[in-house]
């Protein structure tokens, strides 16, 4: 289902991205492995990181090239898309695992740590989406004969989007990814492009930033390779028509997460006032709703 498809895996140098790159290549896809080769906190740069993954794929009989750079840079993102098309003549799928962590309690979080995490984890998702979307839309508008199948962009979010202690910056970025996906999926639908979000769960370098005694699982319990088959499925024509969704993969489970929805509603024809809200909001409007939710994020 992926023979000769051209797939970019951003953040493909480690962990979930590396597993996805190998999975796609094992099904016949031609893979462009992007990575900046930075540390988990975003510092440093090492071109050998994506090259090592691309080399492993080629030595296993697959087709892959490396592409070193920062996907949060709009100019670089456009170059990444253009180079993939120049190398293989087309582009079918982009999945984006690029991300960094700089944890800190909200009232202690530095300005730099806020901006850098938002830039990498949110802008770093949007810049390649914008570049790929513009390319795919142009192809569709021109009636290009190569555009005979749906294209697909998979943005990676995280469970932290629901809130995570000490990760206000990371949680904000990952929640932003979900809003971006819902918007872009509507904008690109007519161009034959699917846009989805993935909430993966697997042992990675980020897991290792948690003290060992507090880690939620081991690599053996939640291998990153178990996420990769859903990535390949979303790259394939078997997932035609699936768009605007937030999907989950981890361990032995895959699933679909719900979008935000109204849990309770109260109507006041004359319009609500402070007094009427004080009298009725807790007891009547939201009587069946838990209004103290902080512990769910610990």
């Amino acid at each position: 289902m992926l023979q000769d498809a051209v797939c970019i895996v951003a953040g493909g140098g480690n962990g979930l991205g590396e597993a996805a790159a190998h999975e796609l290549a094992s099904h016949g896809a031609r893979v462009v492995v992007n990575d900046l080769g930075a540390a988990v906190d975003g510092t440093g740069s090492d071109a050998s990181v994506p090259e090592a993954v691309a080399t492993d794929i080629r030595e296993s009989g697959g087709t892959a090239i490396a592409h070193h750079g920062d996907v949060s840079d709009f100019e670089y993102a456009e170059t990444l898309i253009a180079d993939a098309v120049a190398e293989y003549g087309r582009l079918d799928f982009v999945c984006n695992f690029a991300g960094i962590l700089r944890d800190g309690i909200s009232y202690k979080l530095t300005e730099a740590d806020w901006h850098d995490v938002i830039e990498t984890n949110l802008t770093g998702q949007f810049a390649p989406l914008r570049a790929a979307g513009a390319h795919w839309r142009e192809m569709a508008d021109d009636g290009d004969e190569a555009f005979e199948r749906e294209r697909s962009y998979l943005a990676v979010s995280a469970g932290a989007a629901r809130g995570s202690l000490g990760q206000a910056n990371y949680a904000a970025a990952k929640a932003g990814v979900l809003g971006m996906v819902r918007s872009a999926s509507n904008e690109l639908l007519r161009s034959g492009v699917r846009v989805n979000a993935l909430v993966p769960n697997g042992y990675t370098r980020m897991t290792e930033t948690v003290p060992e005694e507090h880690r939620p699982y081991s690599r053996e319990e939640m291998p990153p390779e178990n996420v990769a088959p859903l990535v390949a499925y979303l790259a394939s024509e078997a997932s035609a028509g699936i768009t605007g969704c937030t999907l989950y993969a981890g361990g032995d489970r895959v699933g679909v997460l719900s979008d935000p929805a109204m849990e309770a509603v109260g109507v006041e024809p004359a319009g609500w006032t402070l007094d009427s809200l004080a009298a009725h909001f807790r007891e009547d409007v939201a009587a069946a709703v838990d209004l103290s939710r902080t512990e769910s994020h610990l």
Side-chain angles (χ1 to χ4, degrees):
M1 289 184 281
L2 287 172
Q3 189 65 42
D4 296 327
V6 178
C7 304
I8 293 174
V9 182
N14 292 281
L16 296 165
E18 180 180 4
H22 279 281
E23 179 77 13
L24 292 164
S26 74
H27 293 285
R30 296 170 286 178
V31 180
V32 179
V33 182
N34 155 267
D35 208 286
L36 183 59
V40 175
D41 65 0
T43 57
S45 175
D46 185 353
S48 71
V49 171
E51 184 57 56
V53 176
T55 298
D56 285 346
I57 289 173
R58 292 193 296 268
E59 289 178 349
S60 299
T63 302
I65 60 171
H67 210 286
H68 175 247
D70 179 1
V71 289
S72 70
D73 181 296
F74 282 87
E75 184 176 351
Y76 170 74
E78 291 178 359
T79 299
L80 173 63
I81 301 304
D83 286 354
V85 174
E87 179 71 22
Y88 294 122
R90 59 186 291 148
L91 177 63
D92 299 290
F93 177 62
V94 180
C95 60
N96 193 343
F97 290 89
I100 66 170
L101 280 182
R102 292 191 193 168
D103 293 350
I105 299 298
S106 58
Y107 50 83
K108 295 182 178 180
L109 200 63
T110 69
E111 183 178 348
D113 288 349
W114 172 267
H115 283 298
D116 289 350
V117 169
I118 296 293
E119 190 73 3
T120 299
N121 292 282
L122 184 53
T123 305
Q125 288 288 343
F126 177 69
L129 172 61
R130 188 185 78 157
H135 167 69
W136 287 328
R137 184 171 178 80
E138 182 179 2
M139 288 182 61
D141 288 348
D142 291 346
D144 196 303
E145 292 182 1
F147 204 79
E148 78 286 355
R149 54 170 285 175
E150 291 180 348
R151 266 51 176 181
S152 176
Y153 189 98
L154 181 62
V156 176
S157 182
R162 298 176 60 242
S164 183
L165 185 67
Q167 293 187 319
N169 50 0
Y170 186 70
K174 292 303 187 181
V177 168
L178 302 182
M180 180 194 77
V181 162
R182 288 191 286 267
S183 296
S185 63
N186 282 293
E187 295 169 351
L188 291 169
L189 181 65
R190 290 185 178 180
S191 298
V193 178
R194 307 190 304 270
V195 184
N196 291 291
L198 173 66
V199 174
N201 205 0
Y203 189 93
T204 68
R205 295 188 303 167
M206 288 187 175
T207 314
E208 292 176 347
T209 66
V210 179
E212 188 171 0
E213 64 272 19
H214 297 300
R215 290 175 193 166
Y217 41 70
S218 66
R219 194 188 193 288
E220 291 70 27
E221 292 170 323
M222 295 291 280
E225 291 79 11
N226 283 21
V227 173
L230 182 61
V231 176
Y233 172 71
L234 293 169
S236 76
E237 294 180 87
S239 63
I242 298 176
T243 191
C245 296
T246 301
L247 304 152
Y248 170 86
D252 59 359
R253 295 184 177 187
V254 296
V256 182
L257 300 178
S258 64
D259 291 337
M262 187 85 73
E263 287 189 64
V265 63
V267 178
E268 174 52 70
W272 289 96
T273 66
L274 173 57
D275 288 342
S276 61
L277 286 167
H280 298 289
F281 184 79
R282 189 187 303 270
E283 292 80 3
D284 300 320
V285 177
V289 177
D290 181 4
L291 295 176
S292 181
R293 308 183 181 192
T294 54
E295 290 187 1
S296 68
H297 306 309
L298 298 180

